[in-house]
Amino acid sequence: MTDKTTIEAILAPLTAGRASARFENGRASIVLDVTGLSTAARDEMEADAKRAVAALAGVDEVRVLMTSERRSRRMIAVGSGKGGVGKSTVSANLAIALHRAGRQVGMVDADIYGPSQTRLLDVEGIRPSHKDEKLIPVPSRHGVPVLSMGGLVEPGQAIAWRGPMAGSALGQLVDAEWGDKDLLILDLPPGTGDVQLTMVQKHKPTGAVIVSTPQDLALMDARRAIDLFQRMGVPIIGLIENMSGYACPHCGEVSDPFGRGGAEAAAAELGIPFLGRVPLELAIRTASDAGEPPATGNGPEAQAFVEIAGAVNGWLEQNGG
């Protein structure tokens, strides 16, 4: 005879103990706890539960209610005081390196007006789907799903929005259906404007990583970005010096077209960690632009990102795991 106990016994191996049930007048009501599951995993569990219970004697109708606790996702904002310092390339490679280190990572391309993560993560032309009014991130072959305005507008289309609209769009990207991803990398636009303020006030990142080149002008603007996060109570994880040193591919001689060591010196002066240097390498630029960021491989170009990800990972473990 079918009863509540029978139904829950059938469901236990299918749902890993996430189901509870009621049975009255031929109607089976199932509650599934789907906290932390991806949309695909939720749909599969729901279908399996319905199929198994519907096959029981005396069951005329099966209803499933899915519940989920709100996950506490941590967010790392990657910012810069100005454009042109390679922040998006660093963000993509950092996200991939953290994923390869075992983190469950998602990418939010918060550069609303100049999105580039669809190109860097090789998902151009793929529009995100949605369910229950929430966007579903686009999976990438590098293991890091992404949401970006670049996937929601036509290529080359200008996004001419005022601050409130950009802030609303950012909220939809962050509050999407991220499934089991518990760490989001936020690739911010350069500067200290509306998008940055909205992100800090509404979404409160766990910490911020600042990207700069070694030159004085970039560092001057990087200090402004650092000051913004500090004023808003967001911890600074550290400073990355990008485009640091260029090795001639013919003779091997290293030159420093943007200077060297400026970011490390600024970090020491400001009392914040220095996370490492990323060299000015043609291979990093070309591979990233081709949707194959060096952090996906094991070549020499990946090493800087592996080391920086290790420093960020260490900071996360010291600040909540």
Side-chain angles (χ1 to χ4, degrees), residues 66-87:
M66 291 188 283
T67 65
S68 177
E69 295 180 9
R70 186 175 181 86
R71 286 183 70 93
S72 178
R73 288 192 176 85
R74 296 199 287 175
M75 292 178 278
I76 294 177
V78 181
S80 65
K82 64 182 299 176
V85 299
K87 171 187 52 61

mmCIF file with all atom_site columns, all heavy atoms in Angstrom, residues 66-87:
data_model
loop_
_atom_site.group_PDB
_atom_site.id
_atom_site.type_symbol
_atom_site.label_atom_id
_atom_site.label_alt_id
_atom_site.label_comp_id
_atom_site.label_asym_id
_atom_site.label_entity_id
_atom_site.label_seq_id
_atom_site.pdbx_PDB_ins_code
_atom_site.Cartn_x
_atom_site.Cartn_y
_atom_site.Cartn_z
_atom_site.occupancy
_atom_site.B_iso_or_equiv
_atom_site.pdbx_formal_charge
_atom_site.auth_seq_id
_atom_site.auth_comp_id
_atom_site.auth_asym_id
_atom_site.auth_atom_id
_atom_site.pdbx_PDB_model_num
ATOM 1   N N   . MET A 1 66 ? 9.779  22.854 -5.387  1.00 0.00 ? 66 MET A N   1
ATOM 2   C CA  . MET A 1 66 ? 11.222 22.950 -5.152  1.00 0.00 ? 66 MET A CA  1
ATOM 3   C C   . MET A 1 66 ? 11.520 24.170 -4.286  1.00 0.00 ? 66 MET A C   1
ATOM 4   O O   . MET A 1 66 ? 11.037 25.270 -4.554  1.00 0.00 ? 66 MET A O   1
ATOM 5   C CB  . MET A 1 66 ? 11.969 23.037 -6.480  1.00 0.00 ? 66 MET A CB  1
ATOM 6   C CG  . MET A 1 66 ? 11.917 21.745 -7.277  1.00 0.00 ? 66 MET A CG  1
ATOM 7   S SD  . MET A 1 66 ? 12.966 21.736 -8.750  1.00 0.00 ? 66 MET A SD  1
ATOM 8   C CE  . MET A 1 66 ? 11.974 22.739 -9.861  1.00 0.00 ? 66 MET A CE  1
ATOM 9   N N   . THR A 1 67 ? 12.310 23.956 -3.254  1.00 0.00 ? 67 THR A N   1
ATOM 10  C CA  . THR A 1 67 ? 12.701 25.044 -2.359  1.00 0.00 ? 67 THR A CA  1
ATOM 11  C C   . THR A 1 67 ? 14.219 25.170 -2.373  1.00 0.00 ? 67 THR A C   1
ATOM 12  O O   . THR A 1 67 ? 14.942 24.215 -2.664  1.00 0.00 ? 67 THR A O   1
ATOM 13  C CB  . THR A 1 67 ? 12.232 24.790 -0.919  1.00 0.00 ? 67 THR A CB  1
ATOM 14  O OG1 . THR A 1 67 ? 12.900 23.637 -0.389  1.00 0.00 ? 67 THR A OG1 1
ATOM 15  C CG2 . THR A 1 67 ? 10.734 24.573 -0.868  1.00 0.00 ? 67 THR A CG2 1
ATOM 16  N N   . SER A 1 68 ? 14.698 26.348 -2.062  1.00 0.00 ? 68 SER A N   1
ATOM 17  C CA  . SER A 1 68 ? 16.139 26.570 -2.063  1.00 0.00 ? 68 SER A CA  1
ATOM 18  C C   . SER A 1 68 ? 16.484 27.651 -1.055  1.00 0.00 ? 68 SER A C   1
ATOM 19  O O   . SER A 1 68 ? 15.861 28.720 -1.046  1.00 0.00 ? 68 SER A O   1
ATOM 20  C CB  . SER A 1 68 ? 16.610 26.993 -3.458  1.00 0.00 ? 68 SER A CB  1
ATOM 21  O OG  . SER A 1 68 ? 17.986 27.290 -3.469  1.00 0.00 ? 68 SER A OG  1
ATOM 22  N N   . GLU A 1 69 ? 17.475 27.364 -0.214  1.00 0.00 ? 69 GLU A N   1
ATOM 23  C CA  . GLU A 1 69 ? 17.985 28.396 0.676   1.00 0.00 ? 69 GLU A CA  1
ATOM 24  C C   . GLU A 1 69 ? 18.837 29.356 -0.146  1.00 0.00 ? 69 GLU A C   1
ATOM 25  O O   . GLU A 1 69 ? 19.528 28.950 -1.080  1.00 0.00 ? 69 GLU A O   1
ATOM 26  C CB  . GLU A 1 69 ? 18.845 27.780 1.783   1.00 0.00 ? 69 GLU A CB  1
ATOM 27  C CG  . GLU A 1 69 ? 18.094 26.877 2.735   1.00 0.00 ? 69 GLU A CG  1
ATOM 28  C CD  . GLU A 1 69 ? 18.996 26.305 3.796   1.00 0.00 ? 69 GLU A CD  1
ATOM 29  O OE1 . GLU A 1 69 ? 20.160 26.748 3.887   1.00 0.00 ? 69 GLU A OE1 1
ATOM 30  O OE2 . GLU A 1 69 ? 18.544 25.404 4.527   1.00 0.00 ? 69 GLU A OE2 1
ATOM 31  N N   . ARG A 1 70 ? 18.797 30.602 0.232   1.00 0.00 ? 70 ARG A N   1
ATOM 32  C CA  . ARG A 1 70 ? 19.608 31.592 -0.489  1.00 0.00 ? 70 ARG A CA  1
ATOM 33  C C   . ARG A 1 70 ? 21.081 31.350 -0.187  1.00 0.00 ? 70 ARG A C   1
ATOM 34  O O   . ARG A 1 70 ? 21.504 31.378 0.956   1.00 0.00 ? 70 ARG A O   1
ATOM 35  C CB  . ARG A 1 70 ? 19.220 33.009 -0.076  1.00 0.00 ? 70 ARG A CB  1
ATOM 36  C CG  . ARG A 1 70 ? 19.920 34.089 -0.898  1.00 0.00 ? 70 ARG A CG  1
ATOM 37  C CD  . ARG A 1 70 ? 19.394 35.450 -0.532  1.00 0.00 ? 70 ARG A CD  1
ATOM 38  N NE  . ARG A 1 70 ? 20.029 36.479 -1.306  1.00 0.00 ? 70 ARG A NE  1
ATOM 39  C CZ  . ARG A 1 70 ? 19.641 36.883 -2.503  1.00 0.00 ? 70 ARG A CZ  1
ATOM 40  N NH1 . ARG A 1 70 ? 18.601 36.323 -3.056  1.00 0.00 ? 70 ARG A NH1 1
ATOM 41  N NH2 . ARG A 1 70 ? 20.275 37.846 -3.141  1.00 0.00 ? 70 ARG A NH2 1
ATOM 42  N N   . ARG A 1 71 ? 21.858 31.078 -1.226  1.00 0.00 ? 71 ARG A N   1
ATOM 43  C CA  . ARG A 1 71 ? 23.279 30.813 -1.032  1.00 0.00 ? 71 ARG A CA  1
ATOM 44  C C   . ARG A 1 71 ? 24.019 32.113 -0.748  1.00 0.00 ? 71 ARG A C   1
ATOM 45  O O   . ARG A 1 71 ? 23.710 33.169 -1.298  1.00 0.00 ? 71 ARG A O   1
ATOM 46  C CB  . ARG A 1 71 ? 23.880 30.163 -2.286  1.00 0.00 ? 71 ARG A CB  1
ATOM 47  C CG  . ARG A 1 71 ? 23.498 28.721 -2.470  1.00 0.00 ? 71 ARG A CG  1
ATOM 48  C CD  . ARG A 1 71 ? 24.187 28.156 -3.681  1.00 0.00 ? 71 ARG A CD  1
ATOM 49  N NE  . ARG A 1 71 ? 25.616 28.008 -3.443  1.00 0.00 ? 71 ARG A NE  1
ATOM 50  C CZ  . ARG A 1 71 ? 26.178 26.897 -2.993  1.00 0.00 ? 71 ARG A CZ  1
ATOM 51  N NH1 . ARG A 1 71 ? 25.432 25.852 -2.704  1.00 0.00 ? 71 ARG A NH1 1
ATOM 52  N NH2 . ARG A 1 71 ? 27.477 26.812 -2.818  1.00 0.00 ? 71 ARG A NH2 1
ATOM 53  N N   . SER A 1 72 ? 24.986 31.987 0.113   1.00 0.00 ? 72 SER A N   1
ATOM 54  C CA  . SER A 1 72 ? 25.832 33.131 0.406   1.00 0.00 ? 72 SER A CA  1
ATOM 55  C C   . SER A 1 72 ? 27.035 33.073 -0.526  1.00 0.00 ? 72 SER A C   1
ATOM 56  O O   . SER A 1 72 ? 28.017 32.366 -0.262  1.00 0.00 ? 72 SER A O   1
ATOM 57  C CB  . SER A 1 72 ? 26.285 33.098 1.870   1.00 0.00 ? 72 SER A CB  1
ATOM 58  O OG  . SER A 1 72 ? 27.134 34.177 2.155   1.00 0.00 ? 72 SER A OG  1
ATOM 59  N N   . ARG A 1 73 ? 26.925 33.753 -1.641  1.00 0.00 ? 73 ARG A N   1
ATOM 60  C CA  . ARG A 1 73 ? 28.023 33.734 -2.604  1.00 0.00 ? 73 ARG A CA  1
ATOM 61  C C   . ARG A 1 73 ? 28.997 34.857 -2.293  1.00 0.00 ? 73 ARG A C   1
ATOM 62  O O   . ARG A 1 73 ? 28.605 35.970 -1.970  1.00 0.00 ? 73 ARG A O   1
ATOM 63  C CB  . ARG A 1 73 ? 27.496 33.897 -4.023  1.00 0.00 ? 73 ARG A CB  1
ATOM 64  C CG  . ARG A 1 73 ? 26.779 32.677 -4.534  1.00 0.00 ? 73 ARG A CG  1
ATOM 65  C CD  . ARG A 1 73 ? 26.516 32.745 -6.025  1.00 0.00 ? 73 ARG A CD  1
ATOM 66  N NE  . ARG A 1 73 ? 25.902 31.504 -6.447  1.00 0.00 ? 73 ARG A NE  1
ATOM 67  C CZ  . ARG A 1 73 ? 24.594 31.269 -6.378  1.00 0.00 ? 73 ARG A CZ  1
ATOM 68  N NH1 . ARG A 1 73 ? 23.787 32.205 -5.936  1.00 0.00 ? 73 ARG A NH1 1
ATOM 69  N NH2 . ARG A 1 73 ? 24.115 30.094 -6.748  1.00 0.00 ? 73 ARG A NH2 1
ATOM 70  N N   . ARG A 1 74 ? 30.244 34.529 -2.442  1.00 0.00 ? 74 ARG A N   1
ATOM 71  C CA  . ARG A 1 74 ? 31.254 35.563 -2.276  1.00 0.00 ? 74 ARG A CA  1
ATOM 72  C C   . ARG A 1 74 ? 31.621 36.129 -3.640  1.00 0.00 ? 74 ARG A C   1
ATOM 73  O O   . ARG A 1 74 ? 31.588 35.420 -4.650  1.00 0.00 ? 74 ARG A O   1
ATOM 74  C CB  . ARG A 1 74 ? 32.477 34.987 -1.557  1.00 0.00 ? 74 ARG A CB  1
ATOM 75  C CG  . ARG A 1 74 ? 32.098 34.553 -0.149  1.00 0.00 ? 74 ARG A CG  1
ATOM 76  C CD  . ARG A 1 74 ? 33.292 34.408 0.735   1.00 0.00 ? 74 ARG A CD  1
ATOM 77  N NE  . ARG A 1 74 ? 34.073 33.231 0.421   1.00 0.00 ? 74 ARG A NE  1
ATOM 78  C CZ  . ARG A 1 74 ? 35.236 32.958 1.008   1.00 0.00 ? 74 ARG A CZ  1
ATOM 79  N NH1 . ARG A 1 74 ? 35.741 33.776 1.895   1.00 0.00 ? 74 ARG A NH1 1
ATOM 80  N NH2 . ARG A 1 74 ? 35.896 31.869 0.696   1.00 0.00 ? 74 ARG A NH2 1
ATOM 81  N N   . MET A 1 75 ? 31.953 37.403 -3.647  1.00 0.00 ? 75 MET A N   1
ATOM 82  C CA  . MET A 1 75 ? 32.256 38.093 -4.895  1.00 0.00 ? 75 MET A CA  1
ATOM 83  C C   . MET A 1 75 ? 33.578 38.830 -4.773  1.00 0.00 ? 75 MET A C   1
ATOM 84  O O   . MET A 1 75 ? 33.831 39.488 -3.761  1.00 0.00 ? 75 MET A O   1
ATOM 85  C CB  . MET A 1 75 ? 31.139 39.075 -5.248  1.00 0.00 ? 75 MET A CB  1
ATOM 86  C CG  . MET A 1 75 ? 29.833 38.402 -5.621  1.00 0.00 ? 75 MET A CG  1
ATOM 87  S SD  . MET A 1 75 ? 28.511 39.577 -5.974  1.00 0.00 ? 75 MET A SD  1
ATOM 88  C CE  . MET A 1 75 ? 27.977 39.941 -4.303  1.00 0.00 ? 75 MET A CE  1
ATOM 89  N N   . ILE A 1 76 ? 34.383 38.689 -5.799  1.00 0.00 ? 76 ILE A N   1
ATOM 90  C CA  . ILE A 1 76 ? 35.638 39.436 -5.880  1.00 0.00 ? 76 ILE A CA  1
ATOM 91  C C   . ILE A 1 76 ? 35.507 40.442 -7.013  1.00 0.00 ? 76 ILE A C   1
ATOM 92  O O   . ILE A 1 76 ? 35.301 40.065 -8.174  1.00 0.00 ? 76 ILE A O   1
ATOM 93  C CB  . ILE A 1 76 ? 36.828 38.504 -6.138  1.00 0.00 ? 76 ILE A CB  1
ATOM 94  C CG1 . ILE A 1 76 ? 37.050 37.582 -4.939  1.00 0.00 ? 76 ILE A CG1 1
ATOM 95  C CG2 . ILE A 1 76 ? 38.092 39.319 -6.416  1.00 0.00 ? 76 ILE A CG2 1
ATOM 96  C CD1 . ILE A 1 76 ? 38.169 36.578 -5.145  1.00 0.00 ? 76 ILE A CD1 1
ATOM 97  N N   . ALA A 1 77 ? 35.586 41.706 -6.676  1.00 0.00 ? 77 ALA A N   1
ATOM 98  C CA  . ALA A 1 77 ? 35.538 42.763 -7.689  1.00 0.00 ? 77 ALA A CA  1
ATOM 99  C C   . ALA A 1 77 ? 36.943 42.997 -8.224  1.00 0.00 ? 77 ALA A C   1
ATOM 100 O O   . ALA A 1 77 ? 37.891 43.158 -7.452  1.00 0.00 ? 77 ALA A O   1
ATOM 101 C CB  . ALA A 1 77 ? 34.989 44.046 -7.070  1.00 0.00 ? 77 ALA A CB  1
ATOM 102 N N   . VAL A 1 78 ? 37.074 42.983 -9.548  1.00 0.00 ? 78 VAL A N   1
ATOM 103 C CA  . VAL A 1 78 ? 38.361 43.293 -10.182 1.00 0.00 ? 78 VAL A CA  1
ATOM 104 C C   . VAL A 1 78 ? 38.216 44.663 -10.832 1.00 0.00 ? 78 VAL A C   1
ATOM 105 O O   . VAL A 1 78 ? 37.417 44.836 -11.763 1.00 0.00 ? 78 VAL A O   1
ATOM 106 C CB  . VAL A 1 78 ? 38.754 42.225 -11.221 1.00 0.00 ? 78 VAL A CB  1
ATOM 107 C CG1 . VAL A 1 78 ? 40.114 42.567 -11.831 1.00 0.00 ? 78 VAL A CG1 1
ATOM 108 C CG2 . VAL A 1 78 ? 38.795 40.842 -10.581 1.00 0.00 ? 78 VAL A CG2 1
ATOM 109 N N   . GLY A 1 79 ? 38.947 45.619 -10.320 1.00 0.00 ? 79 GLY A N   1
ATOM 110 C CA  . GLY A 1 79 ? 38.786 46.990 -10.784 1.00 0.00 ? 79 GLY A CA  1
ATOM 111 C C   . GLY A 1 79 ? 40.096 47.625 -11.191 1.00 0.00 ? 79 GLY A C   1
ATOM 112 O O   . GLY A 1 79 ? 41.190 47.065 -10.990 1.00 0.00 ? 79 GLY A O   1
ATOM 113 N N   . SER A 1 80 ? 39.971 48.809 -11.776 1.00 0.00 ? 80 SER A N   1
ATOM 114 C CA  . SER A 1 80 ? 41.138 49.606 -12.145 1.00 0.00 ? 80 SER A CA  1
ATOM 115 C C   . SER A 1 80 ? 40.707 51.059 -12.148 1.00 0.00 ? 80 SER A C   1
ATOM 116 O O   . SER A 1 80 ? 39.521 51.363 -12.291 1.00 0.00 ? 80 SER A O   1
ATOM 117 C CB  . SER A 1 80 ? 41.672 49.205 -13.523 1.00 0.00 ? 80 SER A CB  1
ATOM 118 O OG  . SER A 1 80 ? 40.720 49.501 -14.519 1.00 0.00 ? 80 SER A OG  1
ATOM 119 N N   . GLY A 1 81 ? 41.646 51.926 -12.011 1.00 0.00 ? 81 GLY A N   1
ATOM 120 C CA  . GLY A 1 81 ? 41.294 53.335 -12.029 1.00 0.00 ? 81 GLY A CA  1
ATOM 121 C C   . GLY A 1 81 ? 41.058 53.857 -13.421 1.00 0.00 ? 81 GLY A C   1
ATOM 122 O O   . GLY A 1 81 ? 40.373 54.859 -13.606 1.00 0.00 ? 81 GLY A O   1
ATOM 123 N N   . LYS A 1 82 ? 41.614 53.195 -14.435 1.00 0.00 ? 82 LYS A N   1
ATOM 124 C CA  . LYS A 1 82 ? 41.480 53.669 -15.808 1.00 0.00 ? 82 LYS A CA  1
ATOM 125 C C   . LYS A 1 82 ? 41.433 52.478 -16.749 1.00 0.00 ? 82 LYS A C   1
ATOM 126 O O   . LYS A 1 82 ? 41.745 51.347 -16.362 1.00 0.00 ? 82 LYS A O   1
ATOM 127 C CB  . LYS A 1 82 ? 42.647 54.588 -16.177 1.00 0.00 ? 82 LYS A CB  1
ATOM 128 C CG  . LYS A 1 82 ? 44.010 53.894 -16.177 1.00 0.00 ? 82 LYS A CG  1
ATOM 129 C CD  . LYS A 1 82 ? 45.121 54.869 -16.503 1.00 0.00 ? 82 LYS A CD  1
ATOM 130 C CE  . LYS A 1 82 ? 44.935 55.476 -17.871 1.00 0.00 ? 82 LYS A CE  1
ATOM 131 N NZ  . LYS A 1 82 ? 45.945 56.497 -18.190 1.00 0.00 ? 82 LYS A NZ  1
ATOM 132 N N   . GLY A 1 83 ? 41.038 52.740 -17.991 1.00 0.00 ? 83 GLY A N   1
ATOM 133 C CA  . GLY A 1 83 ? 40.981 51.677 -18.980 1.00 0.00 ? 83 GLY A CA  1
ATOM 134 C C   . GLY A 1 83 ? 42.341 51.420 -19.611 1.00 0.00 ? 83 GLY A C   1
ATOM 135 O O   . GLY A 1 83 ? 43.290 52.185 -19.432 1.00 0.00 ? 83 GLY A O   1
ATOM 136 N N   . GLY A 1 84 ? 42.436 50.322 -20.341 1.00 0.00 ? 84 GLY A N   1
ATOM 137 C CA  . GLY A 1 84 ? 43.654 50.026 -21.077 1.00 0.00 ? 84 GLY A CA  1
ATOM 138 C C   . GLY A 1 84 ? 44.745 49.354 -20.288 1.00 0.00 ? 84 GLY A C   1
ATOM 139 O O   . GLY A 1 84 ? 45.880 49.236 -20.773 1.00 0.00 ? 84 GLY A O   1
ATOM 140 N N   . VAL A 1 85 ? 44.436 48.884 -19.065 1.00 0.00 ? 85 VAL A N   1
ATOM 141 C CA  . VAL A 1 85 ? 45.472 48.250 -18.251 1.00 0.00 ? 85 VAL A CA  1
ATOM 142 C C   . VAL A 1 85 ? 45.368 46.719 -18.286 1.00 0.00 ? 85 VAL A C   1
ATOM 143 O O   . VAL A 1 85 ? 46.105 46.031 -17.584 1.00 0.00 ? 85 VAL A O   1
ATOM 144 C CB  . VAL A 1 85 ? 45.430 48.751 -16.791 1.00 0.00 ? 85 VAL A CB  1
ATOM 145 C CG1 . VAL A 1 85 ? 45.668 50.252 -16.736 1.00 0.00 ? 85 VAL A CG1 1
ATOM 146 C CG2 . VAL A 1 85 ? 44.115 48.382 -16.110 1.00 0.00 ? 85 VAL A CG2 1
ATOM 147 N N   . GLY A 1 86 ? 44.438 46.194 -19.081 1.00 0.00 ? 86 GLY A N   1
ATOM 148 C CA  . GLY A 1 86 ? 44.323 44.740 -19.203 1.00 0.00 ? 86 GLY A CA  1
ATOM 149 C C   . GLY A 1 86 ? 43.506 44.084 -18.116 1.00 0.00 ? 86 GLY A C   1
ATOM 150 O O   . GLY A 1 86 ? 43.644 42.885 -17.863 1.00 0.00 ? 86 GLY A O   1
ATOM 151 N N   . LYS A 1 87 ? 42.606 44.841 -17.509 1.00 0.00 ? 87 LYS A N   1
ATOM 152 C CA  . LYS A 1 87 ? 41.810 44.331 -16.384 1.00 0.00 ? 87 LYS A CA  1
ATOM 153 C C   . LYS A 1 87 ? 40.947 43.137 -16.777 1.00 0.00 ? 87 LYS A C   1
ATOM 154 O O   . LYS A 1 87 ? 40.866 42.152 -16.030 1.00 0.00 ? 87 LYS A O   1
ATOM 155 C CB  . LYS A 1 87 ? 40.939 45.454 -15.833 1.00 0.00 ? 87 LYS A CB  1
ATOM 156 C CG  . LYS A 1 87 ? 39.901 45.035 -14.804 1.00 0.00 ? 87 LYS A CG  1
ATOM 157 C CD  . LYS A 1 87 ? 38.997 46.196 -14.457 1.00 0.00 ? 87 LYS A CD  1
ATOM 158 C CE  . LYS A 1 87 ? 38.405 46.861 -15.672 1.00 0.00 ? 87 LYS A CE  1
ATOM 159 N NZ  . LYS A 1 87 ? 37.559 45.940 -16.488 1.00 0.00 ? 87 LYS A NZ  1
#
